[in-house]
């Protein structure tokens, strides 16, 4: 029996106690992208409001999780739905992102142009502007020892990159079936970094598309010293996952050495910040100690890829 060609795009939104005003703006924006929309909720306290807002959009459905399974578990559930519905693409958004009106079409157009050139595309993402700073974030290419940051205003078209954040990323389902979903073990932080590293190691390419734009909240706020915003702040539980996942990924051979060196340096500086300036210093330091004690066996690229592909329930 001939295989039915995959068609259409599934937009997946992951929520956990979202700011309802921002979530409503996101729903309004994605409803005009001519795509099916699935909201996967990680057991939010305001689930009833999430369902009520989502049901106003006829193309939107809500999956209410019974527990918080993190960005990795929620995204994998969305990936599974995209496969089941035979979608050509899946486009992910965090609850605090708001894309431009033609965001999906811009990425899909860039994908088709790259495919016409014979490029093996894993994913494409747009340029995101942080709402805390109102600054556009650079495109990242990992060198041998140091990452290169490309300013969006100095780039054009589709730019090869080594990293895309989860939110705003368009993934062709045919590539997803070969790369696999996210690593459930990581739960939240560096989930995207691991997936991008795996995709690159498997011979795929990633692209930042300059004409696709969205706003996004990076971190949970900013700490200031003498009135200057210096450090992205997180809760102690996020501090645990950030540092635990740095240690996990630092042991994986397919993850960039450049990323490992720089992220360990940044984490060390942040520990100093917690010690001297953060009001919740003891909670953060306890989280860092717990992360350092966390032990997991080192996984190879083949092991992670096999588990991630199997996790899609193809």
């Amino acid at each position: 029996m001939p295989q039915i060609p995959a068609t259409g795009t599934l937009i997946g939104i992951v929520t956990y106690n979202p700011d309802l005003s921002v979530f409503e703006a996101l729903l309004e924006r994605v409803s005009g992208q001519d795509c099916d929309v699935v909201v996967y909720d990680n057991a939010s306290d305001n689930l009833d409001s999430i369902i009520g807002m989502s049901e106003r959009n006829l193309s939107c459905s809500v999956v209410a999780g019974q527990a918080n399974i993190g960005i990795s578990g929620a995204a994998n559930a969305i990936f599974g739905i995209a496969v089941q519905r035979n979608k050509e693409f899946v486009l992910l958004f965090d609850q605090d992102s708001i894309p431009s009106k033609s965001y999906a079409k811009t990425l899909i157009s860039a994908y088709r142009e790259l495919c016409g050139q014979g490029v093996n595309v894993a994913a494409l993402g747009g340029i995101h502007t942080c709402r805390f700073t109102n600054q556009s974030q650079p495109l990242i290419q990992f060198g041998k020892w140091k990452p290169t940051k490309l300013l969006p205003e100095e780039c054009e078209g589709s730019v090869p990159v080594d990293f895309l954040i989860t939110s705003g990323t368009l993934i062709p389902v045919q590539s997803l079936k070969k790369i696999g979903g996210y690593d459930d073990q990581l739960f939240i932080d560096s989930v995207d970094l691991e997936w991008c590293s795996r995709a690159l190691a498997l011979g795929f390419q990633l692209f930042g598309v300059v004409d696709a734009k969205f706003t996004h909240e990076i971190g949970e706020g900013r700490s200031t010293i003498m009135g200057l915003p210096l450090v992205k702040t997180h809760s102690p539980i996020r501090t645990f996952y950030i540092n635990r996942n740095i240690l996990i990924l630092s042991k994986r051979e397919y993850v960039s050495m450049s990323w490992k060196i720089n992220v360990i340096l940044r984490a060390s500086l942040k520990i100093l910040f917690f010690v001297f300036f953060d009001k919740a210093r003891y909670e953060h330091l306890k989280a860092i100690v717990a992360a350092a004690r966390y032990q997991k066996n080192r996984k190879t690229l083949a092991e992670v890829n096999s588990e991630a592909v199997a996790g899609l329930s193809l």
Side-chain angles (χ1 to χ4, degrees):
M1 184 175 179
Q3 187 174 7
I4 300 173
T7 58
T9 301
L10 178 70
I11 292 180
I13 302 171
V14 179
T15 56
Y16 179 67
N17 296 327
D19 179 321
L20 293 176
S21 62
V22 177
F23 177 65
E24 187 173 31
L26 170 58
L27 282 177
E28 181 179 349
R29 188 56 57 86
V30 299
S31 67
Q33 304 274 338
D34 193 26
C35 304
D36 289 351
V37 181
V38 169
V39 176
Y40 189 99
D41 182 72
N42 270 324
S44 294
D45 295 331
N46 51 0
L47 175 61
D48 289 343
S49 297
I50 292 169
I51 293 173
M53 289 179 175
S54 301
E55 286 180 344
R56 298 173 198 165
N57 182 349
L58 295 177
S59 65
C60 182
S61 58
V62 178
V63 178
Q66 299 303 303
N68 184 358
I69 58 174
I71 188 71
S72 55
N76 285 339
I78 292 167
F79 293 155
I81 294 170
V83 172
Q84 292 166 11
R85 295 188 185 179
N86 199 30
K87 294 296 182 182
E88 185 178 8
F89 303 101
V90 58
L91 173 57
L92 296 175
F93 285 111
D94 289 350
Q95 64 193 24
D96 52 16
S97 297
I98 302 178
S100 58
K101 292 182 178 179
S102 59
Y103 189 84
K105 290 181 180 178
T106 301
L107 291 182
I108 291 170
S109 176
Y111 169 76
R112 301 214 187 284
E113 183 178 347
L114 289 164
C115 284
Q117 299 169 10
V119 180
N120 197 18
V121 180
L124 307 95
I127 303 300
H128 60 286
T129 299
C130 176
R131 282 201 294 277
F132 289 122
T133 64
N134 201 33
Q135 293 180 340
S136 294
Q137 302 304 298
L139 300 169
I140 303 297
Q141 295 175 342
F142 292 133
K144 185 174 182 180
W145 305 112
K146 180 182 178 182
T148 298
K149 296 182 179 181
L150 306 176
L151 299 178
E153 57 269 26
E154 297 177 0
C155 302
E156 61 181 21
S158 301
V159 182
V161 295
D162 294 327
F163 173 67
L164 295 168
I165 67 170
T166 295
S167 192
T169 292
L170 179 85
I171 305 175
V173 173
Q174 66 175 3
S175 299
L176 183 66
K177 290 178 179 179
K178 298 174 183 177
I179 300 166
Y182 286 160
D183 184 347
D184 276 329
Q185 174 191 350
L186 299 180
F187 193 75
I188 182 167
D189 286 286
S190 298
V191 167
D192 39 21
L193 183 282
E194 187 282 325
W195 190 89
C196 290
S197 299
R198 192 186 338 142
L200 292 170
L202 292 171
F204 289 84
Q205 289 184 257
L206 306 163
F207 292 88
V209 180
V210 176
D211 292 334
K213 303 181 187 299
F214 67 104
T215 60
H216 181 67
E217 291 182 5
I218 302 173
E220 298 168 35
R222 293 293 185 277
S223 287
T224 60
I225 299 177
M226 299 179 66
L228 297 175
L230 295 180
V231 179
K232 291 179 282 189
T233 58
H234 296 283
S235 63
I237 187 64
R238 283 293 298 276
T239 293
F240 166 77
Y241 283 114
I242 289 168
N243 288 277
R244 186 202 69 162
N245 291 354
I246 287 172
L247 294 174
I248 289 173
L249 295 181
S250 68
K251 298 177 182 178
R252 295 192 182 177
E253 80 285 352
Y254 61 91
V255 175
S256 163
M257 180 59 70
S258 170
W259 178 84
K260 293 175 183 177
I261 292 171
N262 283 273
V263 78
I264 290 171
L265 286 174
R266 290 201 308 272
S268 300
L269 291 174
K270 205 159 191 177
I271 290 171
L272 292 176
F273 172 83
F274 289 145
V275 169
F276 291 106
F277 299 106
D278 199 283
K279 293 179 181 178
R281 59 175 61 88
Y282 297 113
E283 289 80 2
H284 283 290
L285 291 175
K286 283 168 61 177
I288 292 167
V289 171
R293 289 176 174 172
Y294 185 90
Q295 296 293 324
K296 272 287 183 180
N297 294 330
R298 180 182 303 187
K299 290 185 179 181
T300 64
L301 171 63
E303 289 171 336
V304 176
N305 183 227
S306 177
E307 291 174 5
V309 170
L312 292 175
S313 300
L314 305 181

